[in-house]
Amino acid sequence: MPRFVCDAMLGSLARWLRFFGYDAEYMDPSTEDRLLAERARSESRWLLTRDRELAAIGPRTMLLRSEGVEEQLVEVFGRLGVRPMVGLGRARCGECNGELEPADAGTVAHDVPPYVLRSADRFKRCQGCGRVYWPGSHGDRILAAMGRVAARLQSRSTSEPGRE
């Protein structure tokens, strides 16, 4: 499974790659291009950028042309030949990229609003920053966007010459 590092212009893309379950680091905007490229190289990550100068530095660099996050996802997955799974079962923390682990209501009771504690039936906690996630309308919107990305990728693959 590919791993990524996103430059300062691609914070939203990093978050969405995490929702799809990909390890996607987002670098502080003050990080020098040379250090960003070295991090990607040393950790065998794809460096995703919209900066032509930065894209020229590394061997595993992808210069993105798309502006919107859904288009960027289609571009990245399409160029790598990846068909992402739609679902949040493998999602990583949208804030810090940490891995999520199941948590019971008792352990998150002080970290979620009371109405969530009464209405949600499952929770996940980030091993990195401690943020708590639960099913809700936000998840439904994320799943809908994931479905659109997957459908566009499917449409692209079936319309390419030589594909069956």
Side-chain angles (χ1 to χ4, degrees), residues 81-131:
V82 171
R83 297 296 174 247
M85 291 180 23
V86 174
L88 295 171
R90 295 182 357 199
R92 299 176 71 92
C93 179
E95 295 300 314
C96 79
N97 195 37
E99 293 185 30
L100 303 180
E101 61 185 6
D104 61 53
T107 64
V108 301
H110 296 290
D111 300 317
V112 299
Y115 73 90
V116 170
L117 199 57
R118 288 190 304 272
S119 61
D121 60 349
R122 61 188 188 281
F123 301 92
K124 287 190 175 185
R125 182 185 296 278
C126 174
Q127 294 178 16
C129 68
R131 185 179 176 124

Side-chain angles (χ1 to χ4, degrees), residues 1 4 17 28 41 46 49 61 83 91 93 97 121 137 139:
M1 176 178 280
F4 305 96
L17 287 166
D28 183 273
R41 186 178 299 113
W46 280 95
T49 184
T61 304
R83 297 296 174 247
C93 179
N97 195 37
D121 60 349
S137 61

Side-chain angles (χ1 to χ4, degrees), residues 16 19-22 77 83-91 139-154:
W16 278 89
F19 293 154
F20 274 100
Y22 291 90
F77 293 144
R83 297 296 174 247
M85 291 180 23
V86 174
L88 295 171
R90 295 182 357 199
D140 294 340
R141 288 189 297 273
I142 292 170
L143 289 170
M146 292 171 115
R148 289 191 300 271
V149 168
R152 288 177 61 189
L153 286 164
Q154 180 64 35

